[in-house]
Amino acid sequence: MPDTKYVFVTGGNLSGLGKGLAAASMGRLLKSRGLQVNILKIDPYINVDAGTMSPYQHGEVYVTKDGAETDLDLGHYERIVDIGLTEKSNITTGQVYQAVIDKERKGSYLGATVQVIPHITNEIKDRIHSLSDIEGESPDVIIVEVGGTVGDIESLPFLEAIRQFRMEQPRGQVINVHLTYIPYISTTGELKTKLTQHAVKELRAIGIQPDILLCRSTRSLDDELKKKIALFCNVPIDCIFSNVDVENIYFIPLVFEEMGVGERLVELLGLKCDRPDLSEWKEMVDAIKNSTGILKIALVGKYALLRDAYISVLEALAHGGIANRVTVDVDCIISEKLEGNDNWRDILAGYSGIVVPGGFGDRGIKGKLLACQYAREEKIPFLGLCLGLQVATVEYARNVLGIEDANSTEFDEISQNPIIDLMPEQKKITRKGGTMRLGHYYCELKPGSKAHEAYGVDSVNERHRHRLEVNNKYRPMLEKAGMVMSGVSPDDLLVEMIELKDHPWFVATQFHPEFQSRPQRAHPLFKTFIRASKDYQKRVEELSPGIKLEAERKT
Ligand code: GLN
């Protein structure tokens, strides 16, 4: 029986308090002590996975290497803990019920009335346990974040399962961390503890006593306040921590460590481990703090109103900035704003780089086409991601090859010039859930290309989530006109990357490199894109003394 310890992370009062970041930061603190950490997220919604949800509902869909379409918090886990997660790392109500109902139909529970307790709760516990033995490897600690807020109807079976889980484990194997809210009342200048008291009361009513409280607030709690919380919530004062807003999410692990969160976790779980080594993390944070300038990047997308819809892209751009010692300031531009707008060029002017990210459906496509055209014509560094590659190819076919009606069959099913078309194996698929080309696939890089130069290797494994591809029929034409197919699948049947010969840096990928970027190890394409944008900014400023690209936008 593996000696894995467990940290359950729940949240009270309201969502959006940063539970995912807190869970990931605790993971980083444990990992920095030489411990093997695994981490998983429970999402109490009924969808089997996040893949069928609009990014406006739940933010970005994060794709794991094995192709699971998961919650965006898994992105925070991978980036902050720096681990590779799998489909086992995200449990939803949909998955749990589907599995239990399948077993019922198979006759696995013959004779029994199948109920939430014990059948659903057992299924939940089994799934958590299954992470404690992956191909014979047992992590020292598994962190389990329960999405939603304690008190929500749909999270009840999960909380009950957690309560049982702790009872069934030897003492000291499991702890509960609860994240609560401490509002600041500006008229009286006070931090109020009542919401936290209620949040803890709610958790205790379910039978879970928190061991650690992380109190999210705009300012630090003093000892008097902590004493009050300790008394009402039955949590020792040295286990109550202020979780104060910070400027940058990557500062959180260091702030937590300084407050003693790491030490307390180790002590409560009785872990034997090394002293924390956060030197690499500190170096990265120093690079953020000592950036040498600001770089303005435009991200032109359809879900631009919600930054969470592009969170991994935004983080990867920030990582590119860290690697190049610049602060990357991204404006998310709603692509529809460019459409039918005589001043669309003005909207895009003044940026040092343009990104067209992934997406689905034809809304906002015209604006994305304009963004690609502008970057191509004005020689502004461009990075296209998935749909971004497809739109850049359509734009090239229309405006360079002169195929006016070139299109993607996603936007025009009966297009006479389907430059982008459904992959053959996608043509028969009608079910939407989990049926795209998902997860890791190899891409071979063309020697001498910008892609090859950026990666510095011949072949890469990147994460995918798409149904359409560049239509091979048009490849020779596109290549003849100056488009380079700089990355292809090993069988040469799928275009994985394109770039333009006659451009300082115009690169697009059919895959999603953003998912593999890390703050201390920016993804090569993001690192190189930001370097090219920095060069572009410098060139413009040198050519037009007096014009500062970064300043121009801020006014
Ligand atoms: N909608 C496009 C496809 O299915 C692009 C997908 C994406 O950007 N993730 O191929």
Side-chain angles (χ1 to χ4, degrees), residues 358-360 385-387 390 410 465-468 510 512:
F360 294 84
L385 305 167
C386 204
L387 183 71
Q390 300 175 358
E410 184 174 8
R465 182 172 185 249
H466 67 121
R467 294 187 199 281
L468 294 101
Q510 187 55 78
H512 292 270

Side-chain angles (χ1 to χ4, degrees), residues 297-502:
I297 300 290
L299 178 142
V300 182
K302 146 172 154 186
Y303 316 108
L305 276 179
L306 182 73
R307 289 179 82 88
D308 267 0
Y310 300 116
I311 182 94
S312 289
V313 179
L314 296 173
E315 290 305 319
L317 289 167
H319 305 163
I322 298 171
N324 286 285
R325 298 269 163 168
V326 282
T327 304
V328 178
D329 185 2
V330 184
D331 280 346
C332 292
I333 298 175
I334 302 172
S335 50
E336 283 161 294
K337 271 203 177 158
L338 304 175
E339 299 173 6
N341 183 339
D342 291 342
N343 300 325
W344 68 271
R345 284 178 177 273
D346 296 341
I347 299 176
L348 293 173
Y351 290 102
S352 301
I354 294 179
V355 179
V356 175
F360 294 84
D362 65 351
R363 187 166 64 77
I365 289 300
K366 282 196 197 110
K368 293 183 190 174
L369 284 163
L370 292 173
C372 296
Q373 181 186 343
Y374 187 79
R376 182 176 57 76
E377 291 177 348
E378 302 293 327
K379 307 239 184 287
I380 299 171
F382 173 86
L383 179 61
L385 305 167
C386 204
L387 183 71
L389 173 142
Q390 300 175 358
V391 176
T393 312
V394 170
E395 191 278 323
Y396 202 75
R398 286 189 190 176
N399 298 331
V400 179
L401 290 181
I403 310 175
E404 275 170 34
D405 62 349
N407 217 336
S408 160
T409 50
E410 184 174 8
F411 321 135
D412 176 9
E413 268 181 55
I414 51 165
S415 170
Q416 293 307 298
N417 278 300
I419 301 286
I420 305 295
D421 199 7
L422 269 182
M423 286 178 275
E425 61 274 27
Q426 284 287 332
K427 292 204 167 143
K428 338 172 249 305
I429 294 175
T430 50
R431 283 162 72 97
K432 295 284 185 228
T435 55
M436 283 186 250
R437 179 171 182 251
L438 291 164
H440 269 185
Y441 286 95
Y442 277 101
C443 160
E444 285 181 0
L445 303 168
K446 193 178 177 121
S449 63
K450 293 190 181 79
H452 191 268
E453 191 189 321
Y455 279 106
V457 290
D458 296 337
S459 165
V460 289
N461 208 356
E462 290 279 7
R463 299 187 198 174
H464 296 71
R465 182 172 185 249
H466 67 121
R467 294 187 199 281
L468 294 101
E469 58 159 338
V470 174
N471 187 339
N472 284 333
K473 208 175 101 189
Y474 294 88
R475 255 162 85 170
M477 267 187 261
L478 290 162
E479 282 176 306
K480 211 167 150 217
M483 182 174 272
V484 181
M485 306 301 159
S486 52
V488 291
S489 56
D491 59 9
D492 195 33
L493 288 178
L494 295 176
V495 172
E496 290 278 10
M497 294 188 76
I498 60 158
E499 58 191 58
L500 299 184
K501 262 192 206 137
D502 179 25

Side-chain angles (χ1 to χ4, degrees), residues 294-296 350 537 541 546-555:
I294 297 172
L295 198 66
K296 295 287 304 187
Q537 182 189 45
E541 287 171 3
I547 290 198
K548 276 199 86 65
L549 276 189
E550 64 182 78
E552 200 185 326
R553 272 279 142 189
K554 274 191 285 174
T555 50

Side-chain angles (χ1 to χ4, degrees), residues 233-278:
C233 299
N234 201 30
V235 175
I237 190 163
D238 63 357
C239 292
I240 299 171
F241 296 97
S242 311
N243 185 5
V244 180
D245 303 349
V246 286
E247 243 173 87
N248 187 301
I249 57 170
Y250 300 124
F251 298 174
I252 303 173
L254 298 184
V255 174
F256 274 21
E257 182 59 35
E258 205 173 308
M259 292 191 305
V261 176
E263 207 182 314
R264 203 63 67 244
L265 287 170
V266 167
E267 180 191 298
L268 291 176
L269 289 169
L271 290 160
K272 291 186 185 42
C273 54
D274 308 333
R275 290 187 55 74
D277 177 5
L278 284 158

Side-chain angles (χ1 to χ4, degrees), residues 109-243:
Y109 310 117
L110 270 191
T113 306
V114 180
Q115 292 178 299
V116 173
I117 305 172
H119 300 93
I120 293 293
T121 47
N122 282 351
E123 180 69 31
I124 296 168
K125 287 184 288 178
D126 288 349
R127 283 170 180 252
I128 298 171
H129 276 302
S130 75
L131 278 174
S132 66
D133 184 2
I134 297 175
E135 291 161 11
E137 284 236 7
S138 316
D140 298 304
V141 185
I142 295 179
I143 299 175
V144 182
E145 179 196 348
V146 186
T149 307
V150 172
D152 295 345
I153 291 176
E154 53 264 273
S155 55
L156 278 174
F158 291 105
L159 295 168
E160 169 58 16
I162 288 172
R163 186 196 66 75
Q164 294 172 14
F165 197 101
R166 183 168 184 159
M167 281 296 294
E168 290 161 7
Q169 292 287 314
R171 208 167 299 146
Q173 293 290 110
V174 179
I175 61 165
N176 288 90
V177 176
H178 197 42
L179 194 89
T180 64
Y181 184 50
I182 305 272
Y184 175 73
I185 309 296
S186 56
T187 43
T188 55
E190 277 178 299
L191 288 167
K192 304 298 276 183
T193 66
K194 190 67 87 189
L195 289 184
T196 290
Q197 293 177 37
H198 280 290
V200 173
K201 197 167 149 195
E202 190 106 37
L203 190 65
R204 292 173 69 192
I206 298 167
I208 300 174
Q209 167 65 46
D211 300 281
I212 290 181
L213 286 182
L214 298 174
C215 301
R216 182 74 195 267
S217 64
T218 50
R219 47 200 80 205
S220 277
L221 316 182
D222 61 23
D223 278 352
E224 277 313 300
L225 220 62
K226 284 189 185 171
K227 255 189 223 158
K228 190 170 172 189
I229 297 170
L231 182 66
F232 281 95
C233 299
N234 201 30
V235 175
I237 190 163
D238 63 357
C239 292
I240 299 171
F241 296 97
S242 311
N243 185 5

